Amino acid sequence: MANRDPQQAFGEVVRQLRLKRGISQEALADEAGLHRTYISLLERGLRNPSLTVIQQLATALGVRPAQMIAEFDALCSKRAK
Amino acid sequence: MANRDPQQAFGEVVRQLRLKRGISQEALADEAGLHRTYISLLERGLRNPSLTVIQQLATALGVRPAQMIAEFDALCSKRAK
DNA sequence: CTGTGACTTACAGTCCGTG
DNA sequence: ACACGGACTGTAAGTCACA
């Protein structure tokens, strides 16, 4: 029942929200004030973002941090089964 | 309109949730698998927690990560004004 | 029980490239 | 536009002794 790869779940949330907005990783990185390659790592579940990065990401994606975490949470529970 | 000290806001959320459960920093640290002093730093807004720490904290506090972030978010907007 | 300063180690996050 | 690599800087993680 242990959660499987929480950061991978977070990466998927980022990717889905990004694609929903129809922008590139580079564009997102730019809006979030982060780096191109970092978004790539993040979406592939290879990085564990800090609170501030989560906030920046949420802002850049036009959603509330809580909304992002809620989706992330749903994904986590889904795979935890 | 820039957010003021997001991590301080997060610290307050942790503290309030902890006090609501009536447990000590040490007890929380123990349940979250973190260290006593780290909780202290966190509550005083001196640490910027990562996603995994947020998850551990939420679990230990008996709330969902999204709920924590929602309260954190509310606090942030309040002070951002 | 908690705050604090100092400290080491791990990894977040940037930047240079490549295919 | 993206994945992926190596190398680098900064900072979070985690622990300690002491007030």
Side-chain angles (χ1 to χ4, degrees):
Chain A
M1 238 199 79
N3 275 349
R4 254 187 41 193
D5 276 331
Q7 36 195 85
Q8 197 175 331
F10 186 79
E12 289 179 35
V13 171
V14 172
R15 174 159 293 179
Q16 289 186 358
L17 287 173
R18 176 176 64 83
L19 293 178
K20 207 171 290 178
R21 290 198 74 209
I23 61 179
S24 68
Q25 290 181 346
E26 283 171 328
L28 173 58
D30 198 46
E31 287 187 41
L34 296 169
H35 242 260
R36 217 199 79 212
T37 54
Y38 182 61
I39 302 292
S40 175
L41 291 166
L42 217 45
E43 290 192 358
R44 284 176 290 139
L46 300 174
R47 278 297 191 276
N48 185 23
S50 63
L51 219 210
T52 57
V53 167
I54 294 173
Q55 262 197 147
Q56 290 170 15
L57 243 21
T59 304
L61 287 166
V63 298
R64 293 201 148 259
Q67 190 178 338
M68 264 188 105
I69 300 296
E71 296 194 33
F72 154 71
D73 208 17
L75 257 184
C76 273
S77 325
K78 203 184 297 177
R79 356 187 99 160
K81 293 228 181 72
Chain B
M1 240 198 80
N3 276 347
R4 254 187 41 191
D5 275 331
Q7 36 194 83
Q8 198 175 331
F10 186 80
E12 289 180 34
V13 171
V14 173
R15 174 159 294 179
Q16 289 187 359
L17 287 173
R18 176 175 66 81
L19 294 178
K20 207 171 289 179
R21 290 197 75 210
I23 62 179
S24 68
Q25 289 182 349
E26 282 173 327
L28 174 58
D30 197 46
E31 287 185 41
L34 297 170
H35 237 262
R36 214 207 85 209
T37 54
Y38 183 63
I39 302 293
S40 175
L41 292 165
L42 217 44
E43 290 192 358
R44 281 175 295 139
L46 300 173
R47 276 294 191 283
N48 185 21
S50 64
L51 220 210
T52 57
V53 168
I54 294 173
Q55 260 197 149
Q56 291 170 16
L57 243 24
T59 304
L61 287 166
V63 298
R64 295 203 146 257
Q67 190 178 337
M68 265 188 105
I69 300 297
E71 296 194 32
F72 155 72
D73 208 16
L75 257 184
C76 274
S77 325
K78 204 183 296 177
R79 357 186 99 161
K81 291 227 181 71

mmCIF file of all heavy atoms in Angstrom, chain B residues 5-46:
data_model
loop_
_atom_site.group_PDB
_atom_site.id
_atom_site.type_symbol
_atom_site.label_atom_id
_atom_site.label_comp_id
_atom_site.label_asym_id
_atom_site.label_seq_id
_atom_site.Cartn_x
_atom_site.Cartn_y
_atom_site.Cartn_z
ATOM 1 N N ASP B 5 6.961 35.649 2.176
ATOM 2 C CA ASP B 5 7.392 34.517 2.973
ATOM 3 C C ASP B 5 6.466 33.314 2.937
ATOM 4 O O ASP B 5 5.826 32.991 3.931
ATOM 5 C CB ASP B 5 7.541 34.958 4.425
ATOM 6 C CG ASP B 5 8.905 35.573 4.661
ATOM 7 O OD1 ASP B 5 9.851 35.178 3.959
ATOM 8 O OD2 ASP B 5 9.006 36.418 5.556
ATOM 9 N N PRO B 6 6.401 32.656 1.829
ATOM 10 C CA PRO B 6 5.539 31.480 1.734
ATOM 11 C C PRO B 6 5.908 30.402 2.738
ATOM 12 O O PRO B 6 5.037 29.747 3.284
ATOM 13 C CB PRO B 6 5.742 31.006 0.295
ATOM 14 C CG PRO B 6 6.953 31.705 -0.201
ATOM 15 C CD PRO B 6 7.079 32.950 0.565
ATOM 16 N N GLN B 7 7.184 30.254 2.998
ATOM 17 C CA GLN B 7 7.555 29.178 3.905
ATOM 18 C C GLN B 7 7.183 29.473 5.345
ATOM 19 O O GLN B 7 6.932 28.561 6.126
ATOM 20 C CB GLN B 7 9.036 28.841 3.793
ATOM 21 C CG GLN B 7 9.946 30.004 3.546
ATOM 22 C CD GLN B 7 11.324 29.530 3.113
ATOM 23 O OE1 GLN B 7 11.543 29.234 1.942
ATOM 24 N NE2 GLN B 7 12.231 29.430 4.043
ATOM 25 N N GLN B 8 7.095 30.753 5.655
ATOM 26 C CA GLN B 8 6.635 31.111 6.991
ATOM 27 C C GLN B 8 5.159 30.753 7.138
ATOM 28 O O GLN B 8 4.730 30.268 8.185
ATOM 29 C CB GLN B 8 6.849 32.604 7.212
ATOM 30 C CG GLN B 8 6.813 32.986 8.674
ATOM 31 C CD GLN B 8 7.158 34.454 8.882
ATOM 32 O OE1 GLN B 8 7.893 35.028 8.092
ATOM 33 N NE2 GLN B 8 6.615 35.054 9.921
ATOM 34 N N ALA B 9 4.414 30.986 6.079
ATOM 35 C CA ALA B 9 3.006 30.628 6.077
ATOM 36 C C ALA B 9 2.835 29.122 6.239
ATOM 37 O O ALA B 9 1.988 28.655 7.002
ATOM 38 C CB ALA B 9 2.354 31.095 4.778
ATOM 39 N N PHE B 10 3.679 28.372 5.553
ATOM 40 C CA PHE B 10 3.610 26.917 5.657
ATOM 41 C C PHE B 10 3.912 26.468 7.078
ATOM 42 O O PHE B 10 3.259 25.575 7.613
ATOM 43 C CB PHE B 10 4.587 26.263 4.677
ATOM 44 C CG PHE B 10 4.465 24.777 4.630
ATOM 45 C CD1 PHE B 10 3.465 24.179 3.902
ATOM 46 C CD2 PHE B 10 5.351 23.979 5.346
ATOM 47 C CE1 PHE B 10 3.335 22.794 3.875
ATOM 48 C CE2 PHE B 10 5.232 22.591 5.319
ATOM 49 C CZ PHE B 10 4.224 21.998 4.581
ATOM 50 N N GLY B 11 4.889 27.111 7.688
ATOM 51 C CA GLY B 11 5.248 26.794 9.058
ATOM 52 C C GLY B 11 4.075 26.980 10.006
ATOM 53 O O GLY B 11 3.839 26.151 10.885
ATOM 54 N N GLU B 12 3.341 28.045 9.796
ATOM 55 C CA GLU B 12 2.186 28.309 10.659
ATOM 56 C C GLU B 12 1.119 27.247 10.490
ATOM 57 O O GLU B 12 0.473 26.845 11.458
ATOM 58 C CB GLU B 12 1.609 29.688 10.341
ATOM 59 C CG GLU B 12 2.513 30.820 10.803
ATOM 60 C CD GLU B 12 1.937 32.186 10.473
ATOM 61 O OE1 GLU B 12 0.708 32.340 10.503
ATOM 62 O OE2 GLU B 12 2.726 33.106 10.169
ATOM 63 N N VAL B 13 0.942 26.803 9.254
ATOM 64 C CA VAL B 13 -0.031 25.742 8.998
ATOM 65 C C VAL B 13 0.358 24.480 9.760
ATOM 66 O O VAL B 13 -0.474 23.850 10.423
ATOM 67 C CB VAL B 13 -0.123 25.443 7.494
ATOM 68 C CG1 VAL B 13 -0.968 24.195 7.246
ATOM 69 C CG2 VAL B 13 -0.703 26.619 6.751
ATOM 70 N N VAL B 14 1.638 24.128 9.673
ATOM 71 C CA VAL B 14 2.122 22.947 10.378
ATOM 72 C C VAL B 14 1.871 23.084 11.871
ATOM 73 O O VAL B 14 1.334 22.179 12.519
ATOM 74 C CB VAL B 14 3.627 22.726 10.128
ATOM 75 C CG1 VAL B 14 4.153 21.602 11.008
ATOM 76 C CG2 VAL B 14 3.882 22.419 8.670
ATOM 77 N N ARG B 15 2.247 24.235 12.400
ATOM 78 C CA ARG B 15 2.092 24.441 13.842
ATOM 79 C C ARG B 15 0.635 24.343 14.269
ATOM 80 O O ARG B 15 0.304 23.693 15.264
ATOM 81 C CB ARG B 15 2.662 25.802 14.231
ATOM 82 C CG ARG B 15 2.423 26.160 15.681
ATOM 83 C CD ARG B 15 3.396 27.211 16.177
ATOM 84 N NE ARG B 15 4.769 26.718 16.209
ATOM 85 C CZ ARG B 15 5.818 27.456 16.591
ATOM 86 N NH1 ARG B 15 5.643 28.716 16.935
ATOM 87 N NH2 ARG B 15 7.022 26.950 16.607
ATOM 88 N N GLN B 16 -0.228 24.975 13.515
ATOM 89 C CA GLN B 16 -1.651 24.948 13.872
ATOM 90 C C GLN B 16 -2.221 23.546 13.817
ATOM 91 O O GLN B 16 -2.965 23.131 14.707
ATOM 92 C CB GLN B 16 -2.436 25.881 12.950
ATOM 93 C CG GLN B 16 -2.138 27.341 13.239
ATOM 94 C CD GLN B 16 -3.023 28.284 12.450
ATOM 95 O OE1 GLN B 16 -3.857 27.846 11.655
ATOM 96 N NE2 GLN B 16 -2.846 29.578 12.671
ATOM 97 N N LEU B 17 -1.863 22.814 12.786
ATOM 98 C CA LEU B 17 -2.358 21.441 12.672
ATOM 99 C C LEU B 17 -1.798 20.576 13.807
ATOM 100 O O LEU B 17 -2.497 19.729 14.353
ATOM 101 C CB LEU B 17 -1.976 20.847 11.317
ATOM 102 C CG LEU B 17 -2.759 21.375 10.118
ATOM 103 C CD1 LEU B 17 -2.190 20.842 8.819
ATOM 104 C CD2 LEU B 17 -4.226 20.985 10.235
ATOM 105 N N ARG B 18 -0.563 20.813 14.131
ATOM 106 C CA ARG B 18 0.067 20.044 15.207
ATOM 107 C C ARG B 18 -0.613 20.342 16.541
ATOM 108 O O ARG B 18 -0.960 19.418 17.291
ATOM 109 C CB ARG B 18 1.554 20.387 15.301
ATOM 110 C CG ARG B 18 2.258 19.706 16.460
ATOM 111 C CD ARG B 18 3.733 19.971 16.458
ATOM 112 N NE ARG B 18 4.085 21.373 16.706
ATOM 113 C CZ ARG B 18 4.139 21.915 17.923
ATOM 114 N NH1 ARG B 18 3.860 21.196 18.973
ATOM 115 N NH2 ARG B 18 4.477 23.195 18.065
ATOM 116 N N LEU B 19 -0.817 21.625 16.829
ATOM 117 C CA LEU B 19 -1.441 21.998 18.098
ATOM 118 C C LEU B 19 -2.878 21.493 18.170
ATOM 119 O O LEU B 19 -3.368 21.140 19.235
ATOM 120 C CB LEU B 19 -1.392 23.522 18.278
ATOM 121 C CG LEU B 19 0.023 24.093 18.443
ATOM 122 C CD1 LEU B 19 -0.010 25.599 18.560
ATOM 123 C CD2 LEU B 19 0.711 23.470 19.661
ATOM 124 N N LYS B 20 -3.518 21.489 17.008
ATOM 125 C CA LYS B 20 -4.890 21.001 16.960
ATOM 126 C C LYS B 20 -4.949 19.529 17.375
ATOM 127 O O LYS B 20 -5.921 19.072 17.955
ATOM 128 C CB LYS B 20 -5.446 21.185 15.535
ATOM 129 C CG LYS B 20 -6.944 21.346 15.482
ATOM 130 C CD LYS B 20 -7.396 21.733 14.079
ATOM 131 C CE LYS B 20 -6.996 23.163 13.727
ATOM 132 N NZ LYS B 20 -7.394 23.557 12.370
ATOM 133 N N ARG B 21 -3.877 18.827 17.058
ATOM 134 C CA ARG B 21 -3.807 17.411 17.454
ATOM 135 C C ARG B 21 -3.245 17.269 18.866
ATOM 136 O O ARG B 21 -3.221 16.168 19.412
ATOM 137 C CB ARG B 21 -2.928 16.629 16.482
ATOM 138 C CG ARG B 21 -3.550 16.450 15.112
ATOM 139 C CD ARG B 21 -2.833 15.330 14.359
ATOM 140 N NE ARG B 21 -3.214 14.024 14.862
ATOM 141 C CZ ARG B 21 -2.411 12.948 14.852
ATOM 142 N NH1 ARG B 21 -1.203 13.040 14.371
ATOM 143 N NH2 ARG B 21 -2.838 11.798 15.307
ATOM 144 N N GLY B 22 -2.770 18.381 19.404
ATOM 145 C CA GLY B 22 -2.272 18.366 20.774
ATOM 146 C C GLY B 22 -1.016 17.546 20.996
ATOM 147 O O GLY B 22 -0.837 16.965 22.065
ATOM 148 N N ILE B 23 -0.156 17.507 19.987
ATOM 149 C CA ILE B 23 1.080 16.754 20.144
ATOM 150 C C ILE B 23 2.289 17.683 20.092
ATOM 151 O O ILE B 23 2.193 18.811 19.623
ATOM 152 C CB ILE B 23 1.224 15.655 19.064
ATOM 153 C CG1 ILE B 23 1.289 16.278 17.676
ATOM 154 C CG2 ILE B 23 0.088 14.652 19.170
ATOM 155 C CD1 ILE B 23 1.447 15.268 16.566
ATOM 156 N N SER B 24 3.402 17.195 20.580
ATOM 157 C CA SER B 24 4.618 17.997 20.614
ATOM 158 C C SER B 24 5.358 17.911 19.283
ATOM 159 O O SER B 24 5.058 17.056 18.450
ATOM 160 C CB SER B 24 5.535 17.497 21.715
ATOM 161 O OG SER B 24 6.030 16.216 21.389
ATOM 162 N N GLN B 25 6.303 18.802 19.112
ATOM 163 C CA GLN B 25 7.137 18.768 17.904
ATOM 164 C C GLN B 25 7.839 17.424 17.813
ATOM 165 O O GLN B 25 7.960 16.850 16.729
ATOM 166 C CB GLN B 25 8.178 19.887 17.941
ATOM 167 C CG GLN B 25 7.601 21.278 17.742
ATOM 168 C CD GLN B 25 8.691 22.352 17.751
ATOM 169 O OE1 GLN B 25 9.829 22.077 18.109
ATOM 170 N NE2 GLN B 25 8.337 23.556 17.344
ATOM 171 N N GLU B 26 8.265 16.942 18.957
ATOM 172 C CA GLU B 26 8.979 15.671 18.990
ATOM 173 C C GLU B 26 8.095 14.522 18.524
ATOM 174 O O GLU B 26 8.526 13.669 17.750
ATOM 175 C CB GLU B 26 9.491 15.386 20.406
ATOM 176 C CG GLU B 26 10.731 16.185 20.741
ATOM 177 C CD GLU B 26 11.145 16.025 22.187
ATOM 178 O OE1 GLU B 26 10.257 15.871 23.038
ATOM 179 O OE2 GLU B 26 12.350 16.062 22.453
ATOM 180 N N ALA B 27 6.866 14.514 19.017
ATOM 181 C CA ALA B 27 5.942 13.446 18.641
ATOM 182 C C ALA B 27 5.652 13.499 17.144
ATOM 183 O O ALA B 27 5.633 12.462 16.468
ATOM 184 C CB ALA B 27 4.648 13.574 19.442
ATOM 185 N N LEU B 28 5.448 14.719 16.645
ATOM 186 C CA LEU B 28 5.196 14.879 15.214
ATOM 187 C C LEU B 28 6.391 14.412 14.396
ATOM 188 O O LEU B 28 6.246 13.676 13.417
ATOM 189 C CB LEU B 28 4.883 16.346 14.893
ATOM 190 C CG LEU B 28 4.746 16.663 13.403
ATOM 191 C CD1 LEU B 28 3.657 15.821 12.758
ATOM 192 C CD2 LEU B 28 4.449 18.143 13.201
ATOM 193 N N ALA B 29 7.562 14.843 14.832
ATOM 194 C CA ALA B 29 8.793 14.455 14.140
ATOM 195 C C ALA B 29 8.887 12.945 14.067
ATOM 196 O O ALA B 29 9.227 12.367 13.029
ATOM 197 C CB ALA B 29 10.001 15.031 14.860
ATOM 198 N N ASP B 30 8.561 12.313 15.161
ATOM 199 C CA ASP B 30 8.639 10.872 15.247
ATOM 200 C C ASP B 30 7.679 10.216 14.254
ATOM 201 O O ASP B 30 8.059 9.322 13.508
ATOM 202 C CB ASP B 30 8.303 10.446 16.676
ATOM 203 C CG ASP B 30 8.774 9.030 16.944
ATOM 204 O OD1 ASP B 30 9.919 8.716 16.585
ATOM 205 O OD2 ASP B 30 7.983 8.249 17.499
ATOM 206 N N GLU B 31 6.448 10.699 14.253
ATOM 207 C CA GLU B 31 5.432 10.107 13.374
ATOM 208 C C GLU B 31 5.722 10.365 11.903
ATOM 209 O O GLU B 31 5.372 9.559 11.047
ATOM 210 C CB GLU B 31 4.047 10.657 13.726
ATOM 211 C CG GLU B 31 3.498 10.098 15.029
ATOM 212 C CD GLU B 31 2.074 10.564 15.274
ATOM 213 O OE1 GLU B 31 1.294 10.593 14.310
ATOM 214 O OE2 GLU B 31 1.749 10.915 16.423
ATOM 215 N N ALA B 32 6.338 11.500 11.631
ATOM 216 C CA ALA B 32 6.602 11.851 10.238
ATOM 217 C C ALA B 32 7.922 11.263 9.750
ATOM 218 O O ALA B 32 8.254 11.359 8.570
ATOM 219 C CB ALA B 32 6.608 13.367 10.071
ATOM 220 N N GLY B 33 8.655 10.667 10.672
ATOM 221 C CA GLY B 33 9.953 10.117 10.292
ATOM 222 C C GLY B 33 10.965 11.223 10.035
ATOM 223 O O GLY B 33 11.885 11.068 9.241
ATOM 224 N N LEU B 34 10.750 12.359 10.715
ATOM 225 C CA LEU B 34 11.667 13.480 10.551
ATOM 226 C C LEU B 34 12.318 13.771 11.895
ATOM 227 O O LEU B 34 12.045 13.090 12.884
ATOM 228 C CB LEU B 34 10.896 14.721 10.070
ATOM 229 C CG LEU B 34 10.246 14.592 8.707
ATOM 230 C CD1 LEU B 34 9.322 15.760 8.451
ATOM 231 C CD2 LEU B 34 11.309 14.508 7.629
ATOM 232 N N HIS B 35 13.156 14.813 11.918
ATOM 233 C CA HIS B 35 13.828 15.113 13.163
ATOM 234 C C HIS B 35 13.203 16.277 13.897
ATOM 235 O O HIS B 35 12.704 17.204 13.298
ATOM 236 C CB HIS B 35 15.324 15.365 12.922
ATOM 237 C CG HIS B 35 16.172 14.442 13.747
ATOM 238 N ND1 HIS B 35 16.712 14.837 14.937
ATOM 239 C CD2 HIS B 35 16.484 13.137 13.570
ATOM 240 C CE1 HIS B 35 17.377 13.803 15.447
ATOM 241 N NE2 HIS B 35 17.261 12.775 14.644
ATOM 242 N N ARG B 36 13.239 16.124 15.234
ATOM 243 C CA ARG B 36 12.735 17.120 16.173
ATOM 244 C C ARG B 36 13.082 18.543 15.759
ATOM 245 O O ARG B 36 12.203 19.381 15.593
ATOM 246 C CB ARG B 36 13.450 16.827 17.497
ATOM 247 C CG ARG B 36 12.724 17.069 18.734
ATOM 248 C CD ARG B 36 13.722 17.368 19.811
ATOM 249 N NE ARG B 36 14.057 18.771 19.778
ATOM 250 C CZ ARG B 36 15.222 19.276 20.149
ATOM 251 N NH1 ARG B 36 16.175 18.494 20.554
ATOM 252 N NH2 ARG B 36 15.431 20.572 20.089
ATOM 253 N N THR B 37 14.378 18.796 15.575
ATOM 254 C CA THR B 37 14.829 20.148 15.287
ATOM 255 C C THR B 37 14.377 20.627 13.907
ATOM 256 O O THR B 37 14.206 21.822 13.692
ATOM 257 C CB THR B 37 16.356 20.237 15.352
ATOM 258 O OG1 THR B 37 16.913 19.246 14.501
ATOM 259 C CG2 THR B 37 16.827 20.025 16.767
ATOM 260 N N TYR B 38 14.179 19.679 13.028
ATOM 261 C CA TYR B 38 13.740 20.048 11.684
ATOM 262 C C TYR B 38 12.320 20.602 11.716
ATOM 263 O O TYR B 38 12.002 21.573 11.020
ATOM 264 C CB TYR B 38 13.825 18.836 10.756
ATOM 265 C CG TYR B 38 13.448 19.157 9.342
ATOM 266 C CD1 TYR B 38 14.186 20.067 8.602
ATOM 267 C CD2 TYR B 38 12.325 18.585 8.756
ATOM 268 C CE1 TYR B 38 13.831 20.391 7.319
ATOM 269 C CE2 TYR B 38 11.975 18.892 7.462
ATOM 270 C CZ TYR B 38 12.724 19.792 6.750
ATOM 271 O OH TYR B 38 12.366 20.108 5.473
ATOM 272 N N ILE B 39 11.482 19.986 12.541
ATOM 273 C CA ILE B 39 10.121 20.492 12.714
ATOM 274 C C ILE B 39 10.168 21.917 13.266
ATOM 275 O O ILE B 39 9.411 22.790 12.828
ATOM 276 C CB ILE B 39 9.325 19.592 13.693
ATOM 277 C CG1 ILE B 39 9.280 18.142 13.177
ATOM 278 C CG2 ILE B 39 7.908 20.130 13.872
ATOM 279 C CD1 ILE B 39 8.490 17.948 11.933
ATOM 280 N N SER B 40 11.068 22.125 14.197
ATOM 281 C CA SER B 40 11.221 23.463 14.782
ATOM 282 C C SER B 40 11.567 24.485 13.708
ATOM 283 O O SER B 40 10.957 25.550 13.622
ATOM 284 C CB SER B 40 12.309 23.422 15.854
ATOM 285 O OG SER B 40 12.562 24.715 16.357
ATOM 286 N N LEU B 41 12.535 24.137 12.884
ATOM 287 C CA LEU B 41 12.942 25.029 11.799
ATOM 288 C C LEU B 41 11.781 25.292 10.844
ATOM 289 O O LEU B 41 11.545 26.430 10.417
ATOM 290 C CB LEU B 41 14.101 24.403 11.022
ATOM 291 C CG LEU B 41 15.438 24.287 11.761
ATOM 292 C CD1 LEU B 41 16.373 23.345 11.023
ATOM 293 C CD2 LEU B 41 16.067 25.656 11.899
ATOM 294 N N LEU B 42 11.072 24.243 10.551
ATOM 295 C CA LEU B 42 9.957 24.308 9.606
ATOM 296 C C LEU B 42 8.876 25.262 10.114
ATOM 297 O O LEU B 42 8.403 26.133 9.381
ATOM 298 C CB LEU B 42 9.383 22.898 9.455
ATOM 299 C CG LEU B 42 8.901 22.450 8.089
ATOM 300 C CD1 LEU B 42 9.868 22.840 7.007
ATOM 301 C CD2 LEU B 42 8.695 20.946 8.112
ATOM 302 N N GLU B 43 8.506 25.096 11.378
ATOM 303 C CA GLU B 43 7.422 25.895 11.948
ATOM 304 C C GLU B 43 7.786 27.366 12.033
ATOM 305 O O GLU B 43 6.916 28.223 12.056
ATOM 306 C CB GLU B 43 7.059 25.372 13.345
ATOM 307 C CG GLU B 43 6.369 24.012 13.301
ATOM 308 C CD GLU B 43 5.758 23.638 14.645
ATOM 309 O OE1 GLU B 43 5.914 24.419 15.608
ATOM 310 O OE2 GLU B 43 5.122 22.573 14.725
ATOM 311 N N ARG B 44 9.089 27.638 12.112
ATOM 312 C CA ARG B 44 9.496 29.029 12.178
ATOM 313 C C ARG B 44 9.782 29.602 10.792
ATOM 314 O O ARG B 44 10.301 30.701 10.663
ATOM 315 C CB ARG B 44 10.735 29.151 13.080
ATOM 316 C CG ARG B 44 10.368 29.123 14.553
ATOM 317 C CD ARG B 44 11.595 29.117 15.429
ATOM 318 N NE ARG B 44 12.370 27.898 15.259
ATOM 319 C CZ ARG B 44 13.706 27.858 15.209
ATOM 320 N NH1 ARG B 44 14.394 28.956 15.288
ATOM 321 N NH2 ARG B 44 14.320 26.707 15.065
ATOM 322 N N GLY B 45 9.469 28.837 9.771
ATOM 323 C CA GLY B 45 9.609 29.348 8.411
ATOM 324 C C GLY B 45 11.034 29.449 7.934
ATOM 325 O O GLY B 45 11.343 30.236 7.043
ATOM 326 N N LEU B 46 11.906 28.626 8.508
ATOM 327 C CA LEU B 46 13.315 28.683 8.136
ATOM 328 C C LEU B 46 13.705 27.565 7.180
ATOM 329 O O LEU B 46 14.874 27.432 6.834
ATOM 330 C CB LEU B 46 14.185 28.626 9.388
ATOM 331 C CG LEU B 46 13.946 29.773 10.368
ATOM 332 C CD1 LEU B 46 14.717 29.561 11.654
ATOM 333 C CD2 LEU B 46 14.341 31.090 9.714
#
